[in-house]
Amino acid sequence: MAGSTLGTIFRITTWGESHGKALGVVIDGCPAGLELNERDIQLYLDRRKPGTSSITTPRKEDDTVEILSGVFEGKTTGTPISLMVRNTSQISRDYSEIASYYRPGHADYTFDAKYGFRDYRGGGRSSGRETIGRVAAGAIALKILKAMGIQVCAYTRSIGPVEADLSNFDPSAILSTPTAMPDIRANEEALSYLEAAKKNTDSVGGCMECLVEGLPAGIGDPVFEKLDANLAKAIMSIGAVKAVEIGDGCAVSKRYGSENNDSFRSLNHQTVKSTNHAGGILGGISDGSTVVIRAHVKPTPSIYKTQQTINQSGEEIDVNIKGRHDPVIVPRAVVVMECMTALTVLDSMMINMSSKLDSLIDFYRS
Amino acid sequence: MAGSTLGTIFRITTWGESHGKALGVVIDGCPAGLELNERDIQLYLDRRKPGTSSITTPRKEDDTVEILSGVFEGKTTGTPISLMVRNTSQISRDYSEIASYYRPGHADYTFDAKYGFRDYRGGGRSSGRETIGRVAAGAIALKILKAMGIQVCAYTRSIGPVEADLSNFDPSAILSTPTAMPDIRANEEALSYLEAAKKNTDSVGGCMECLVEGLPAGIGDPVFEKLDANLAKAIMSIGAVKAVEIGDGCAVSKRYGSENNDSFRSLNHQTVKSTNHAGGILGGISDGSTVVIRAHVKPTPSIYKTQQTINQSGEEIDVNIKGRHDPVIVPRAVVVMECMTALTVLDSMMINMSSKLDSLIDFYRS
Amino acid sequence: MAGSTLGTIFRITTWGESHGKALGVVIDGCPAGLELNERDIQLYLDRRKPGTSSITTPRKEDDTVEILSGVFEGKTTGTPISLMVRNTSQISRDYSEIASYYRPGHADYTFDAKYGFRDYRGGGRSSGRETIGRVAAGAIALKILKAMGIQVCAYTRSIGPVEADLSNFDPSAILSTPTAMPDIRANEEALSYLEAAKKNTDSVGGCMECLVEGLPAGIGDPVFEKLDANLAKAIMSIGAVKAVEIGDGCAVSKRYGSENNDSFRSLNHQTVKSTNHAGGILGGISDGSTVVIRAHVKPTPSIYKTQQTINQSGEEIDVNIKGRHDPVIVPRAVVVMECMTALTVLDSMMINMSSKLDSLIDFYRS
Amino acid sequence: MAGSTLGTIFRITTWGESHGKALGVVIDGCPAGLELNERDIQLYLDRRKPGTSSITTPRKEDDTVEILSGVFEGKTTGTPISLMVRNTSQISRDYSEIASYYRPGHADYTFDAKYGFRDYRGGGRSSGRETIGRVAAGAIALKILKAMGIQVCAYTRSIGPVEADLSNFDPSAILSTPTAMPDIRANEEALSYLEAAKKNTDSVGGCMECLVEGLPAGIGDPVFEKLDANLAKAIMSIGAVKAVEIGDGCAVSKRYGSENNDSFRSLNHQTVKSTNHAGGILGGISDGSTVVIRAHVKPTPSIYKTQQTINQSGEEIDVNIKGRHDPVIVPRAVVVMECMTALTVLDSMMINMSSKLDSLIDFYRS
């Protein structure tokens, strides 16, 4: 099916393979009147760019975005915004060998099973480069949310056993450290851990977290279109994510109700909660507290150690994966999580506008 | 928005509140020719029925299903199947007090924020009774999957600190024990733990797991409609679920790549994996191994301990929740997880039918 | 697929067969706070009820609607509204003969081709009784539109060669005449024409028209979700409709541009058009003028004349259809057209709320 | 909303404005394994290209398509196919004047009403150039349908009062005549008529027709997703179309049932109809006969005669539209109709694959 489209009102459709001519995204349903230029988007694309430190692949990817439609005289027109990034640095010979076998932990086998064959160059559509479209679209969603006073912020929570200490939370560190951790000390520790793994021709996993602040209460729809359900889908759809938690997440399964319930309080005539175990969502609808989402990311499946697998003839073989690969996925995936969260929240807010009859009538009366 | 509809081809729409006249579901897109009667569905509804043990609410809910359309001479016709369960035992006076305040851990406040007011009787639409429609529809999906040789099986993995030992896996125990654990010894232990929590006027959380066996490789769509993304949404949409894991889930974030990758092997000319850390899904597409999903469920928010909250005037008050509540949600939610998984998998299989040109042409040639 | 669901935000799902236990509809996405009771809906159902004149089938269908969910203390809650009409007067023996053959002009053959078999009683799902769900849902959409100052009005434009003279437009006649014509003289003429056709064991076709007044400019989305495109789909989906026109419709193909263009004028500081050939829609978006839609309806396919057809064994046979059938479909379809138009317009208005960035920001600021 | 996406399984998303950098389309859900190159698509784009005769605008538009993704080693991979056409010949000064006023018959006013402002250059998104994306995507759908033995063929039925005589049907004339009429004599007559209209600084309307041959019975879904309903939407969404007819269309409203019903016959053990008033669709589902759709197209709204309108300040003014415009839209719209029909039919066929339980089970057993 059309698996590359996300959203109901603010809807994006991504396209492109790792080693094709280009990658891109069409954003449809963006409100008219938003000031937008390439720099707004490039800023976010640069955050997912490799080659910026010792823990990302040394591949050079320029990833320069071009706005092809939907913007006139510096403002969005309400019609589809088409964004494209030309592929410039792909070296197909790096990948030619993997055409014949199935890399462990990759989608080679499942793409063949589904489609009968695959574009094997650099992972084709299942490459991490697929996220370019997500990030380019997310940059626009983030700009709109910001204009509404809503901040979305993702960061690396842990790499292997090294956890960021959130009592040291330093937002500037997210952008300045190679690990995207908000804690400079943990960043150092994680880098050492990664260096050791690299030397051992291995890769490591990690955890990322995203906060949404300023979201009004009332966003999300009961039953199947709950805000947390849509966030879970959006975040789980990021390659390599194997678990999604909302608020205290997995920890709730070991809790007593008396520990886990958040009391309501009144603060300056506003309803607040004393604690936020729920992660800002009750019954699938935002409660006005910070929305908290966590994602657990598997280690990069491309490792240099010898691995066992089969080839397309079904013969068992040993393989040594070559190429240039990040030893950990998380730092570059953080911006993807931020973008997927923003896309989901913004679409939910647009959908929510007709939830009360009075608001609907007022909207068209004015 | 229309939050009560799920699925693209096999599509369900649920309706009904805890204390309304009835609850139900419309299943549209069910293939024609399936033998179906009320007993097929009642079997599953009975698994979510309360009042069957000391750890479920003593409320009596008969929950007798009626097929209103879509079945003719014992077979589905391909047109919408409407299923209804009349509410018979709702006692509105139990809930009248809660109209004025916001119960901690419930959706009272968020429904008011979204809609301006709420049906406060028994939680209204955010009640656990909402799952009747999910289970009634899921029973049909499960029957179809079974006819295709696909088995979906959910069970309680843990309650509080008590974990089922899967090396003792006893499938019959899932249906026969009050905890829905597949391990009789863990069931006993969990019951003691629950008894203590109840005495302490408290509730507990737990974890449930679901396995899909026999699913062919190739199901699920890349990018946003990944099988795991849709499973995450479906399972996270179940009330009280706060985390969803696929395969090894959260554990992958602490792993090395060399530990986490599953090698491919050839067994009887079939592609298999030596291990299944991935939980049967690679790149969002099924790989032919068992699909493994876990969900972490918060403790029942309705507890008898005194709690702090606010009323609709914003005044801080102490509340003591009354009524009849399960001390743990998991055992009755297990069948809901099984049903949501089945609905998701079946819809993905239907969508997948045109993924290869040859299959499409062959389908219409025959 | 799930062909029984319509709409994006205001979404309805209908179900039920002519001779099943019941028919109904689930309306999801209805704003909270609308005063609603059974009488609001019954009023519209009664307009499609047969047995009220010599030109409708003498079948008695009580069609009493029951609200099963989504309304609390007299107001909609924002959650799904389930409406049901029990079938009470179906006499299955009337239809038993048609099980074996394919009635000309009916969907018997195509249902068999699609599904392998069919519920042959009274046309099953392809019966005109399927429109009960549309009308019940449309009644709610009409009530909301009215609260926004938007009037939707459908009527019979012609029956066979007899055309209503709109210069005699009498709105009360739509509800009071058996033909639903807004012109009492044409009504009389049409009744004579129908009487003659009935005597000749034949049926006749006709044309219906629907006007939407008070719709603000700016509703509808460019390209595929144009307001006229969605109206065309909604109206063509009514059984027996074979053509849909917007504004001057077919006549434009014989026009010169200088005749067909509508000049813009300024009236009391508002933009208006001197003429309305366009039928209130330009580029798929409402222009503030009256929206005009026409639908051409084929003659009732059930006629008492001997017809040629084949049976399920492929043998050519002569058939004489029995039962009780309207000699013309239009008068009872008029309310269906009104409802489908209302559903389409309301959903478009809800979708439109985020078309301008300023409006979106203002909505959440207030 | 996202108005630029069409289809459920075979889904397209178009983008681009008349005078932007480029226009394009993303096709998602295309089956893997289709041989595809730029020539397959260019062939259809060339049919909508202007400047090829005296009755099309003398604007030169090269409209060269580039495949950016989704094709590997000459075959579709199942992942999104991104197609782009760079705008090369747009001269913005031609259109600068129209920024300040609303052209009669155009979407200038409605875009301003909806979005607050508009890209006024050449009509922006409401330009006929928007159809480039439809045609590029349709070319792929047509190639797939052809591989399944299904032929889709559209042509000009009439221009002003000049009607093609279908008893002279010459398929080669559709591609070789400037009018796209399948009747060489009518083509000559229509050209004279158009010449006279041009001299009189006027434009004319026309009618186009599309036939689908070889479509199996059983395609289309009851109630809202009827094949004719989806065709009506797809065809009405083409700019300038004001009416859509299926089969005998409007004529049915003047018919007797005995004239309009098509008898079923048996021919070589196949079910056929003696006549085809229904246009190949009964109850919204294909019946195996030729599907017949007609669309009535308004005269080009851009005419050189002086017209009355208002400017953005609401002042009434006289305008003389400049630029280069076709005197009739139909000949270039014929290929758009063919493409929209193909897209709709193919998507319906994909959706239909799980309508019977046996077929679903067989599909996955093999």
Side-chain angles (χ1 to χ4, degrees):
Chain A
M1 189 189 60
S4 296
T5 296
L6 181 83
T8 297
I9 305 282
F10 194 90
R11 182 183 282 179
I12 73 167
T13 301
T14 73
W15 55 270
E17 296 92 33
S18 175
H19 283 53
K21 283 192 172 181
L23 299 110
V25 62
V26 182
I27 300 104
D28 201 7
C30 180
L34 177 73
E35 290 188 19
L36 189 74
N37 60 40
E38 271 93 351
R39 287 186 306 279
D40 293 316
I41 298 156
Q42 196 63 50
L43 197 73
Y44 287 87
L45 286 179
D46 289 351
R47 284 176 59 191
R48 67 164 296 291
K49 202 160 74 170
T52 55
S53 81
S54 66
I55 61 158
T56 60
T57 163
R59 283 196 314 270
K60 200 174 164 297
E61 295 174 0
D62 266 342
D63 294 349
T64 304
V65 71
E66 184 181 5
I67 300 178
L68 294 169
S69 71
V71 176
F72 179 59
E73 298 182 343
K75 289 192 176 175
T76 59
T77 60
T79 58
I81 302 166
S82 179
L83 304 176
M84 180 173 66
V85 168
R86 289 267 180 195
N87 276 325
T88 53
S89 76
Q90 277 54 43
I91 309 168
S92 287
R93 67 175 176 277
D94 278 358
Y95 297 94
S96 54
E97 185 191 324
I98 64 166
S100 64
Y101 63 80
Y102 300 130
R103 291 171 297 165
H106 279 279
D108 301 341
Y109 171 65
T110 54
F111 267 64
D112 264 22
K114 182 177 189 70
Y115 297 116
F117 74 111
R118 71 186 189 280
D119 178 351
Y120 50 78
R121 300 166 303 164
R125 182 72 176 146
S126 70
S127 160
R129 284 188 67 69
E130 167 263 305
T131 60
I132 284 177
R134 303 177 185 236
V135 171
I140 300 175
L142 285 160
K143 187 164 188 183
I144 295 173
L145 289 175
K146 202 172 173 185
M148 290 195 282
I150 298 164
Q151 307 290 335
V152 183
C153 172
Y155 46 82
T156 299
R157 184 70 197 263
S158 65
I159 287 179
V162 184
E163 187 119 0
D165 180 352
L166 297 191
S167 64
N168 295 336
F169 197 95
D170 172 2
S172 70
I174 301 170
L175 295 180
S176 66
T177 62
T179 59
M181 277 178 155
D183 168 4
I184 293 182
R185 199 179 310 177
N187 169 64
E188 293 303 321
E189 213 179 319
L191 289 176
S192 306
Y193 179 77
L194 280 164
E195 209 50 52
K198 268 181 79 174
K199 272 194 191 129
N200 197 24
T201 61
D202 217 332
S203 64
V204 306
C207 174
M208 51 194 183
E209 189 165 79
C210 187
L211 309 179
V212 185
E213 299 192 70
L215 185 67
I219 306 303
D221 284 273
V223 188
F224 302 123
E225 301 296 331
K226 287 178 167 138
L227 181 58
D228 40 0
N230 278 315
L231 286 169
K233 176 174 179 172
I235 303 305
M236 191 69 92
S237 81
I238 303 171
V241 170
K242 300 301 286 184
V244 177
E245 302 181 272
I246 302 294
D248 289 359
C250 297
V252 303
S253 60
K254 307 258 184 267
R255 290 261 180 75
Y256 288 111
S258 59
E259 298 168 304
N260 195 61
N261 281 349
D262 301 308
S263 296
F264 286 104
R265 302 286 302 275
S266 193
L267 184 68
N268 301 327
H269 303 286
Q270 296 228 300
T271 301
V272 297
K273 286 152 47 202
S274 309
T275 50
N276 189 19
H277 301 301
I281 301 176
L282 283 169
I285 302 173
S286 64
D287 66 13
S289 307
T290 301
V291 175
V292 182
I293 317 133
R294 259 184 320 286
H296 295 265
V297 180
K298 72 178 184 183
T300 317
S302 291
I303 54 174
Y304 303 110
K305 275 190 199 305
T306 301
Q307 297 183 89
Q308 293 181 313
T309 191
I310 59 168
N311 61 22
Q312 287 183 308
S313 315
E315 296 162 332
E316 302 190 346
I317 57 172
D318 278 1
V319 294
N320 287 285
I321 289 175
K322 292 171 192 135
R324 304 157 298 179
H325 306 286
D326 297 351
V328 64
I329 291 165
V330 173
R332 292 178 57 203
V334 155
V335 67
V336 182
M337 185 182 197
E338 198 167 298
C339 286
M340 293 304 293
T341 301
L343 290 163
T344 304
V345 166
L346 178 58
D347 194 41
S348 292
M349 291 184 77
M350 289 177 167
I351 287 168
N352 179 62
M353 293 176 80
S354 55
S355 61
K356 293 177 196 167
L357 184 66
D358 288 352
S359 308
L360 174 66
I361 292 176
D362 285 354
F363 184 91
Y364 281 109
R365 181 180 294 143
S366 60
Chain B
M1 189 189 60
S4 295
T5 296
L6 181 82
T8 297
I9 305 282
F10 194 90
R11 183 183 281 177
I12 73 167
T13 302
T14 73
W15 55 270
E17 296 90 35
S18 175
H19 283 54
K21 284 191 171 181
L23 298 110
V25 62
V26 182
I27 300 104
D28 201 6
C30 181
L34 177 73
E35 289 188 20
L36 188 74
N37 60 39
E38 271 93 351
R39 287 185 307 280
D40 292 315
I41 298 155
Q42 196 63 49
L43 197 74
Y44 287 87
L45 286 178
D46 289 352
R47 284 177 58 191
R48 67 163 296 292
K49 203 161 72 171
T52 55
S53 81
S54 67
I55 62 157
T56 59
T57 163
R59 284 196 314 270
K60 200 176 164 299
E61 296 173 0
D62 267 342
D63 294 350
T64 305
V65 72
E66 185 181 4
I67 300 178
L68 294 168
S69 71
V71 176
F72 179 59
E73 298 182 342
K75 290 192 174 174
T76 59
T77 60
T79 58
I81 302 166
S82 179
L83 304 177
M84 179 172 67
V85 168
R86 289 270 180 192
N87 276 324
T88 53
S89 75
Q90 279 53 44
I91 310 167
S92 287
R93 68 174 175 275
D94 278 358
Y95 297 95
S96 54
E97 187 191 323
I98 65 165
S100 65
Y101 64 80
Y102 300 130
R103 290 170 299 163
H106 279 280
D108 301 342
Y109 172 64
T110 55
F111 267 64
D112 265 23
K114 181 175 191 72
Y115 297 116
F117 75 111
R118 71 186 190 280
D119 178 350
Y120 51 77
R121 300 165 304 163
R125 181 72 177 147
S126 69
S127 161
R129 284 188 67 71
E130 167 262 306
T131 60
I132 285 176
R134 303 177 185 238
V135 171
I140 299 175
L142 284 160
K143 188 165 189 182
I144 295 172
L145 288 175
K146 203 172 173 184
M148 290 195 281
I150 299 164
Q151 306 291 334
V152 183
C153 172
Y155 46 82
T156 299
R157 182 72 197 261
S158 65
I159 288 180
V162 184
E163 188 120 358
D165 179 353
L166 299 191
S167 64
N168 296 335
F169 197 94
D170 172 3
S172 70
I174 301 170
L175 296 180
S176 67
T177 62
T179 59
M181 279 177 154
D183 167 5
I184 294 184
R185 200 178 309 176
N187 169 64
E188 292 303 321
E189 213 180 318
L191 288 176
S192 305
Y193 179 76
L194 281 163
E195 208 51 51
K198 266 181 80 173
K199 270 192 192 131
N200 197 25
T201 62
D202 218 330
S203 64
V204 306
C207 174
M208 51 194 183
E209 190 164 77
C210 187
L211 309 179
V212 185
E213 300 192 68
L215 185 66
I219 306 304
D221 286 273
V223 187
F224 301 123
E225 300 297 332
K226 288 179 166 137
L227 181 58
D228 40 0
N230 278 316
L231 286 168
K233 176 173 178 173
I235 303 306
M236 191 70 93
S237 82
I238 303 171
V241 170
K242 300 299 286 184
V244 177
E245 302 181 89
I246 302 293
D248 289 358
C250 297
V252 303
S253 61
K254 307 261 187 266
R255 290 260 180 75
Y256 288 111
S258 58
E259 299 168 304
N260 196 61
N261 281 350
D262 301 308
S263 297
F264 287 104
R265 302 287 303 275
S266 193
L267 184 68
N268 301 327
H269 303 287
Q270 295 228 297
T271 301
V272 298
K273 285 154 45 203
S274 309
T275 50
N276 189 19
H277 301 301
I281 302 175
L282 284 170
I285 302 173
S286 64
D287 66 14
S289 308
T290 301
V291 175
V292 182
I293 317 133
R294 256 182 323 285
H296 295 265
V297 181
K298 71 178 185 183
T300 317
S302 291
I303 54 174
Y304 303 111
K305 276 189 199 303
T306 301
Q307 297 182 89
Q308 293 182 312
T309 190
I310 60 168
N311 61 24
Q312 288 184 307
S313 316
E315 295 161 334
E316 302 188 348
I317 57 170
D318 279 1
V319 295
N320 287 285
I321 288 173
K322 290 170 194 136
R324 306 156 296 178
H325 306 286
D326 296 350
V328 64
I329 291 163
V330 172
R332 292 178 58 202
V334 155
V335 68
V336 182
M337 185 182 196
E338 197 168 298
C339 286
M340 293 304 293
T341 300
L343 290 163
T344 304
V345 166
L346 178 58
D347 194 41
S348 292
M349 292 184 77
M350 289 179 167
I351 287 168
N352 179 62
M353 293 176 81
S354 55
S355 61
K356 294 177 196 165
L357 184 66
D358 288 351
S359 309
L360 174 65
I361 292 175
D362 284 353
F363 184 91
Y364 281 108
R365 182 179 295 144
S366 59
Chain C
M1 189 191 58
S4 296
T5 295
L6 181 83
T8 297
I9 304 283
F10 193 91
R11 182 182 283 178
I12 72 167
T13 302
T14 73
W15 56 270
E17 296 91 34
S18 176
H19 283 53
K21 283 192 171 181
L23 298 110
V25 61
V26 182
I27 300 105
D28 201 7
C30 181
L34 177 74
E35 289 189 18
L36 189 74
N37 61 40
E38 271 93 352
R39 287 185 307 280
D40 293 314
I41 298 155
Q42 195 64 50
L43 197 73
Y44 287 88
L45 286 178
D46 289 351
R47 284 177 59 191
R48 68 164 295 292
K49 202 162 72 171
T52 55
S53 82
S54 67
I55 61 157
T56 60
T57 163
R59 284 196 313 271
K60 200 175 165 298
E61 296 174 359
D62 267 343
D63 294 348
T64 305
V65 72
E66 184 181 4
I67 299 178
L68 294 168
S69 70
V71 176
F72 179 59
E73 297 181 342
K75 290 192 176 175
T76 58
T77 59
T79 59
I81 303 166
S82 178
L83 305 177
M84 180 173 65
V85 168
R86 288 269 180 193
N87 277 325
T88 53
S89 76
Q90 278 54 43
I91 310 167
S92 287
R93 67 173 175 277
D94 277 358
Y95 296 95
S96 54
E97 186 191 323
I98 64 165
S100 65
Y101 64 80
Y102 299 130
R103 291 171 298 164
H106 278 281
D108 301 342
Y109 172 65
T110 54
F111 266 64
D112 264 23
K114 182 177 190 71
Y115 297 116
F117 75 111
R118 70 187 190 281
D119 178 351
Y120 52 77
R121 301 166 303 163
R125 183 71 177 146
S126 70
S127 161
R129 284 187 68 69
E130 167 262 306
T131 60
I132 284 177
R134 303 177 186 236
V135 171
I140 299 175
L142 284 161
K143 188 164 189 183
I144 295 173
L145 289 175
K146 202 172 172 183
M148 291 195 282
I150 298 164
Q151 306 290 334
V152 183
C153 172
Y155 46 82
T156 300
R157 183 72 196 261
S158 66
I159 287 180
V162 184
E163 187 119 359
D165 179 352
L166 298 190
S167 64
N168 295 335
F169 197 94
D170 172 2
S172 70
I174 301 169
L175 295 180
S176 67
T177 63
T179 59
M181 278 178 155
D183 168 5
I184 294 183
R185 201 179 309 178
N187 170 63
E188 291 303 322
E189 212 180 319
L191 288 176
S192 306
Y193 178 76
L194 281 163
E195 209 50 51
K198 268 181 77 174
K199 271 193 191 131
N200 196 26
T201 62
D202 217 332
S203 65
V204 306
C207 174
M208 52 194 183
E209 190 164 78
C210 187
L211 308 179
V212 184
E213 300 193 67
L215 185 67
I219 306 304
D221 285 273
V223 188
F224 302 123
E225 300 297 332
K226 287 178 167 137
L227 181 58
D228 40 1
N230 278 316
L231 285 169
K233 176 173 179 172
I235 303 305
M236 192 68 92
S237 82
I238 303 171
V241 171
K242 300 301 285 185
V244 177
E245 303 180 271
I246 302 294
D248 289 358
C250 297
V252 303
S253 60
K254 308 260 186 265
R255 290 261 179 75
Y256 288 111
S258 58
E259 298 168 303
N260 195 61
N261 281 350
D262 301 308
S263 297
F264 286 104
R265 302 287 303 275
S266 193
L267 184 68
N268 301 327
H269 303 287
Q270 296 229 298
T271 300
V272 297
K273 284 153 46 203
S274 309
T275 50
N276 190 19
H277 301 301
I281 301 175
L282 283 169
I285 302 173
S286 64
D287 66 15
S289 308
T290 301
V291 175
V292 182
I293 316 132
R294 257 182 321 286
H296 295 265
V297 180
K298 72 178 183 182
T300 318
S302 291
I303 55 173
Y304 303 111
K305 275 190 199 306
T306 301
Q307 298 183 89
Q308 293 181 313
T309 191
I310 59 168
N311 61 21
Q312 287 182 309
S313 316
E315 296 161 332
E316 301 189 347
I317 56 171
D318 279 1
V319 295
N320 287 285
I321 289 173
K322 291 173 192 132
R324 304 156 299 178
H325 306 287
D326 297 351
V328 64
I329 291 163
V330 173
R332 292 177 58 203
V334 154
V335 67
V336 183
M337 185 182 196
E338 197 168 300
C339 286
M340 293 305 293
T341 300
L343 290 163
T344 304
V345 166
L346 178 58
D347 194 41
S348 292
M349 292 184 78
M350 289 177 167
I351 286 168
N352 179 62
M353 294 175 81
S354 54
S355 60
K356 294 177 196 166
L357 184 66
D358 287 352
S359 308
L360 174 66
I361 293 176
D362 284 354
F363 184 91
Y364 281 108
R365 181 179 295 143
S366 60
Chain D
M1 189 189 60
S4 296
T5 297
L6 181 82
T8 298
I9 304 282
F10 194 91
R11 182 182 281 177
I12 73 167
T13 302
T14 72
W15 55 271
E17 297 91 34
S18 175
H19 283 52
K21 284 192 172 181
L23 298 110
V25 62
V26 182
I27 300 104
D28 201 7
C30 181
L34 177 73
E35 290 188 18
L36 189 74
N37 60 39
E38 271 94 350
R39 287 185 306 279
D40 292 316
I41 297 155
Q42 196 63 49
L43 197 73
Y44 287 88
L45 286 178
D46 289 350
R47 284 177 58 191
R48 67 163 297 291
K49 203 161 72 170
T52 55
S53 81
S54 67
I55 62 158
T56 60
T57 163
R59 282 197 315 271
K60 199 174 166 300
E61 296 174 0
D62 266 343
D63 294 350
T64 305
V65 72
E66 184 180 5
I67 300 178
L68 294 168
S69 71
V71 176
F72 179 59
E73 298 182 343
K75 290 192 174 175
T76 58
T77 60
T79 59
I81 303 167
S82 179
L83 304 177
M84 179 172 68
V85 168
R86 288 269 180 192
N87 277 324
T88 53
S89 75
Q90 278 54 44
I91 311 168
S92 287
R93 67 175 176 276
D94 277 359
Y95 297 94
S96 55
E97 186 190 323
I98 64 165
S100 65
Y101 64 80
Y102 299 131
R103 290 171 298 164
H106 279 280
D108 301 342
Y109 172 64
T110 55
F111 266 64
D112 264 23
K114 182 176 190 72
Y115 297 116
F117 75 111
R118 71 187 190 280
D119 178 350
Y120 50 78
R121 300 166 304 163
R125 182 71 177 147
S126 70
S127 160
R129 283 188 68 69
E130 167 262 305
T131 60
I132 285 177
R134 302 178 185 238
V135 172
I140 300 176
L142 284 160
K143 187 164 189 182
I144 295 172
L145 289 175
K146 203 172 173 185
M148 290 195 282
I150 298 165
Q151 307 290 335
V152 183
C153 172
Y155 46 82
T156 299
R157 183 71 197 262
S158 65
I159 287 180
V162 184
E163 188 120 358
D165 180 353
L166 298 191
S167 64
N168 295 336
F169 197 94
D170 173 2
S172 70
I174 302 170
L175 295 180
S176 65
T177 63
T179 59
M181 278 178 156
D183 167 5
I184 294 184
R185 199 178 310 177
N187 170 65
E188 292 302 322
E189 213 180 318
L191 288 177
S192 306
Y193 179 77
L194 281 164
E195 208 52 51
K198 266 181 80 174
K199 272 193 189 130
N200 196 24
T201 61
D202 217 332
S203 64
V204 306
C207 174
M208 51 194 183
E209 190 164 79
C210 187
L211 309 179
V212 185
E213 299 191 72
L215 185 67
I219 306 304
D221 285 274
V223 188
F224 302 123
E225 301 296 333
K226 287 177 168 140
L227 181 58
D228 41 0
N230 278 317
L231 286 168
K233 177 173 178 172
I235 303 305
M236 191 69 93
S237 82
I238 303 171
V241 171
K242 300 300 286 184
V244 177
E245 302 182 271
I246 302 294
D248 289 359
C250 297
V252 304
S253 61
K254 308 261 185 267
R255 290 260 179 75
Y256 288 111
S258 58
E259 299 169 304
N260 196 61
N261 282 350
D262 301 308
S263 297
F264 286 104
R265 301 288 301 275
S266 194
L267 183 68
N268 301 327
H269 303 288
Q270 295 228 297
T271 301
V272 297
K273 286 153 46 202
S274 310
T275 50
N276 189 18
H277 301 301
I281 302 175
L282 284 169
I285 302 173
S286 64
D287 66 14
S289 308
T290 302
V291 174
V292 182
I293 317 132
R294 258 183 320 286
H296 295 265
V297 180
K298 72 178 184 183
T300 318
S302 290
I303 54 174
Y304 303 111
K305 276 189 200 304
T306 301
Q307 297 183 91
Q308 293 182 314
T309 191
I310 60 168
N311 60 23
Q312 287 183 308
S313 315
E315 295 161 333
E316 302 188 347
I317 57 172
D318 279 1
V319 295
N320 288 285
I321 288 174
K322 290 170 194 137
R324 304 158 297 178
H325 305 288
D326 297 349
V328 64
I329 291 164
V330 173
R332 293 177 57 202
V334 155
V335 67
V336 182
M337 186 182 196
E338 198 168 297
C339 286
M340 294 304 293
T341 301
L343 290 163
T344 304
V345 166
L346 178 59
D347 194 41
S348 291
M349 291 184 77
M350 290 179 167
I351 287 168
N352 179 62
M353 293 176 80
S354 56
S355 62
K356 294 178 196 165
L357 184 66
D358 288 352
S359 309
L360 174 65
I361 292 175
D362 284 353
F363 184 91
Y364 281 108
R365 182 179 294 143
S366 60

